[in-house]
Amino acid sequence: MAQVPQTFFDALAVRTWCGLALETLGMAREEIDAINVYPVADGDTGTNLYLTVESAVAAVEAVFAGHAARSGPEGPTLADAARAMAHGALIGARGNSGTILAQLLRGMSQVLAEGGTARAGGESAHADGRGLRLALRHASDSARQAVAHPVEGTVLTVASAAADAADAACGTEGDCGTVARAAYEGARAALAATPGQLPVLERAGVVDAGGRGLVAVLGALVETFTGERPRETAATVTAGALRVGAGPMSAVASEAAVPGALAAGDPGSSGGPGEPYARVVPGQADGSASGVPAGPAGDSPDLYADERSPHARVAAAEELAPAVGAPRGECADGAAAADVDGPAFEVIYLLEAEDTAVERLRERLDGLGDSLVVVGGDGLWNVHVHVDDAGAAVEAGIEAGRPYRIRITHFGAGDVHTTGAERPPRERAQRAVVAVVPGEGLAGLYTEAGATTVLARPGEPPASGELVQAVRRAHAREVVLLPNDAELRHTAAAAAEQARTEGIRVALIPTRSAVQGIAALAVHEPERRFDEDVVSMTSAAGATRYAEVTVAERQAWTMAGICQAGDVLGLIDGDVAVIGSDVTATAETVLDRMLAAGGEMVTLVLGDEAPGTIAEHLEGRVREGYLAVDTVVYRGGRQGAVLLIGVE
């Protein structure tokens, strides 16, 4: 879509860039997923980059919305928007590529937030072309420092080339559009050269996937400041000669932009300085065989570890294998090669820790595995490493500070470090259930029942892209989606619609609480006809009243009156029904009100903050006061609410 060019890098430019980058990565995601070859064949670099930027977009939009609510039409400052972008990317970073991109954005934000100058008339601060050049340079340097063992021919090389090109082309002059275009062209040229720097890329006939994603992000930066969308580079490269038509995008791409593909004056070239993008007719530049699989990208299952345990809990899971072709993977670290056995697990977590503790953590994790990337600062870090002992990696984080949002992916024996030709594609299941759950305990419960789970942290709801990824990971022809939160209904609907365009039959059951999801999952029968199964699960969820007991964070008006910060709130079917001062007493009142309308089964899900005796007390209350009513208790972990209650 046409964009009004931004003259300076201000808050609106940050917002525009993030939105365009998300749009561009959305279009290129499958292509980028399909060309992963170095060094881990998990085939999800494009998806990881998309989810990382999606988190950055959400953070920036939240800043704009919050500022509008508080301050009117003035809008946030450049520092506000840049810091929100960096923070959103940091907490939402996925995979090695997303973690490095988060550090690139953080490096840029540090310069943009501190180097903006005030416009005449007291308008919001902004950065000019010089500020953008400095931001690109700092981004490249900080990302390289975050990787334990940098290797050339990766996204780090592409980032360095972008900064070098911006410096060389613009000197001390140049507006943001000129700087962005120079950085983009430098990145494209570096991307085209990556097969010559990494033999595994040359053998597979592809460019680096992470670098390809960065080129897309820089292309969005060009569009932000010029209003013009650069045509993207081809996905595949062989022996240094660019070619198109071999990758998964060849069916829809009629032309691709590649640096230096046509000499000046060639009839296919634009020839003008305002349109410096050469055009290439699709087709192979040589006779070498394609190394890019055309089938769907495989996704590794996300397995969550309990934050409270020093040992990560890992469940065995099958991998979705790519079509016959080159192995796929992504990383900027050169500790492992694509054709050599490597660590079995990818471990990622956010960490609250001091700088000195993080330095010790780097040393310990470097000795445990490879592909180590630690990004962040100011007390909050995103840690990524590939290891054989996932528990030891989590323990190291516990010694350094407080790890949370722990994500462990089991690459699969004989899967990641072997080529696609050495393993048959896994057959799709007929039906699967995908559920959003609020805590690690429920994630384990749902997983044991056969569901694919997406963990939703308090205040950090999953985005639609994350739900789509989970649907793909379930690898089934039919999927039942349980959002388990009224506020996630629209997000889940968008994810279901996207999955349907990929040929997956998806039914969305509008569960509003995890206890309704438990009821639905209890009657799930994969052998039934799909429609019958969905009707049965919907009926079970609808017949389950739900409640939660939580603690008020601030003063507010409620259906039960005015509450103060620290009050205990009992919500029934989403509305505050009880305001109290004691968790156990409030929970008992809520339970009595729910059972007054009848019930056969009570489900209690305890959060980490629940009193130790509350389960025993409520079970006794049900046993003594309500005949023929059973009670079941689960541990939910860090789920936000002190207690969840379901009555069927």
Side-chain angles (χ1 to χ4, degrees):
M1 60 182 175
Q3 295 291 326
V4 177
Q6 297 289 128
T7 305
F8 296 100
F9 215 136
D10 56 10
L12 182 58
V14 173
R15 186 186 199 183
T16 302
W17 179 34
C18 288
L20 289 173
L22 185 65
E23 180 182 343
T24 303
L25 286 171
M27 293 186 292
R29 180 189 58 77
E30 291 184 359
E31 172 197 347
I32 298 171
D33 282 347
I35 64 171
N36 278 170
V37 297
Y38 179 77
V40 179
D42 50 5
D44 60 1
T45 291
T47 300
N48 287 337
L49 290 170
Y50 180 88
L51 293 174
T52 301
V53 174
E54 187 176 47
S55 181
V57 168
V60 172
E61 291 300 324
V63 165
F64 270 85
H67 205 279
R70 295 190 306 270
S71 307
E74 291 184 7
T77 65
L78 171 60
D80 293 334
R83 288 169 182 152
M85 172 185 69
H87 180 74
L90 177 67
I91 65 174
R94 305 293 289 268
N96 202 333
S97 57
T99 305
I100 293 173
L101 178 61
Q103 186 69 1
L104 287 167
L105 296 180
R106 175 179 170 81
M108 290 189 68
S109 74
Q110 289 174 326
V111 174
L112 295 175
E114 297 173 3
T117 57
R119 295 185 191 176
E123 296 182 29
S124 298
H126 68 266
D128 54 15
R130 178 180 178 276
L132 178 55
R133 287 194 301 104
L134 294 175
L136 290 168
R137 170 58 61 197
H138 186 61
S140 172
D141 293 344
S142 60
R144 189 170 287 269
Q145 292 168 5
V147 177
H149 303 286
V151 169
E152 299 307 323
T154 66
V155 62
L156 298 178
T157 303
V158 176
S160 295
D164 291 343
D167 285 338
C170 304
T172 59
E173 302 297 330
D175 58 19
C176 287
T178 303
V179 173
R181 193 183 294 278
Y184 173 77
E185 293 295 351
R188 286 204 311 162
L191 177 66
T194 55
Q197 296 170 297
L198 279 178
V200 64
L201 299 179
E202 186 173 19
R203 289 196 300 271
V206 298
V207 295
D208 177 68
R212 170 66 180 86
L214 180 58
V215 168
V217 172
L218 291 174
L221 188 64
V222 172
E223 186 174 1
T224 298
F225 292 112
T226 68
E228 302 174 5
R229 172 168 295 182
R231 290 188 292 273
E232 293 297 331
T233 63
T236 52
V237 180
T238 180
L242 288 164
R243 60 184 173 87
V244 295
M249 298 297 289
S250 60
V252 296
S254 60
E255 61 182 31
V258 291
L262 294 175
D266 188 290
S269 171
S270 62
E275 177 102 1
Y277 307 114
R279 300 175 63 188
V280 180
V281 178
Q284 290 187 201
D286 60 13
S288 60
S290 170
V292 181
D299 293 297
S300 301
D302 293 331
L303 303 167
Y304 299 94
D306 191 334
E307 297 171 6
R308 299 165 300 166
S309 170
H311 291 282
R313 182 179 68 251
V314 180
E318 291 181 306
E319 297 290 327
L320 168 59
V324 174
R328 300 180 298 201
E330 52 94 1
C331 186
D333 194 305
D339 54 354
V340 177
D341 287 342
F345 300 102
E346 177 186 58
V347 178
I348 304 174
Y349 49 80
L350 291 179
L351 177 70
E352 294 178 355
E354 300 296 328
D355 292 3
T356 54
V358 171
E359 286 304 315
R360 293 192 298 270
L361 175 66
R362 289 179 194 268
E363 295 178 4
R364 180 168 178 185
L365 291 180
D366 195 26
L368 288 175
D370 58 43
S371 300
L372 174 61
V373 185
V374 181
V375 304
D378 301 321
L380 181 62
W381 308 82
N382 191 306
V383 178
H384 172 283
V385 67
H386 293 176
V387 293
D388 281 320
D389 189 346
V394 176
E395 286 177 342
I398 292 173
E399 291 180 6
R402 188 179 80 86
Y404 62 102
R405 291 190 69 180
I406 301 168
R407 183 183 304 274
I408 297 175
T409 301
H410 183 202
F411 290 133
D415 181 36
V416 171
H417 303 284
T418 57
T419 66
E422 294 172 336
R423 61 182 182 224
R426 177 164 66 92
E427 181 66 23
R428 283 186 178 272
Q430 181 60 34
R431 191 174 307 160
V433 176
V434 173
V436 179
V437 291
E440 298 86 351
L442 284 181
L445 174 67
Y446 273 74
T447 300
E448 289 173 6
T452 298
T453 61
V454 178
L455 194 63
R457 291 291 185 186
E460 300 174 5
S464 61
E466 192 168 358
L467 298 186
V468 172
Q469 186 185 32
V471 171
R472 296 190 187 107
R473 194 169 72 243
H475 197 42
R477 298 181 181 89
E478 302 167 342
V479 172
V480 180
L481 183 56
L482 306 175
N484 291 340
D485 187 335
E487 295 184 359
L488 283 179
R489 183 170 181 177
H490 295 299
T491 300
E497 188 61 31
Q498 172 62 35
R500 291 183 189 115
T501 66
E502 300 176 10
I504 304 171
R505 189 179 184 188
V506 181
L508 172 62
I509 298 179
T511 49
R512 294 170 289 176
S513 171
V515 291
Q516 288 189 322
I518 292 173
L521 199 57
V523 300
H524 169 55
E525 293 185 13
E527 303 306 319
R528 273 194 300 222
R529 289 178 58 248
F530 185 63
D531 292 339
E532 293 178 356
D533 197 29
V534 171
V535 169
S536 178
M537 295 176 71
T538 302
S539 177
T544 302
R545 300 190 69 194
Y546 65 97
E548 69 176 80
V549 176
T550 189
V551 178
E553 296 181 355
R554 57 185 178 276
Q555 184 186 63
W557 288 90
T558 76
M559 296 290 290
I562 300 176
C563 72
Q564 305 295 329
D567 283 348
V568 180
L569 306 180
L571 291 81
I572 300 177
D573 293 337
D575 293 324
V576 176
V578 180
I579 300 176
S581 58
D582 179 77
V583 171
T584 301
T586 302
E588 182 177 320
T589 302
V590 169
L591 186 57
D592 285 341
R593 291 194 184 186
M594 296 180 74
L595 286 173
E600 299 175 353
M601 171 71 75
V602 172
T603 300
L604 304 175
V605 182
L606 307 180
D608 283 346
E609 304 302 320
T613 60
I614 190 171
E616 181 180 354
H617 179 86
L618 294 179
E619 284 183 292
R621 176 67 177 172
V622 172
R623 186 170 52 252
E624 295 171 5
Y626 303 93
L627 298 177
V629 178
D630 295 325
T631 305
V632 60
V633 179
Y634 301 112
R635 296 283 175 179
R638 187 171 174 264
Q639 63 185 22
V642 177
L643 173 69
L644 300 178
I645 304 174
V647 174
E648 301 176 48

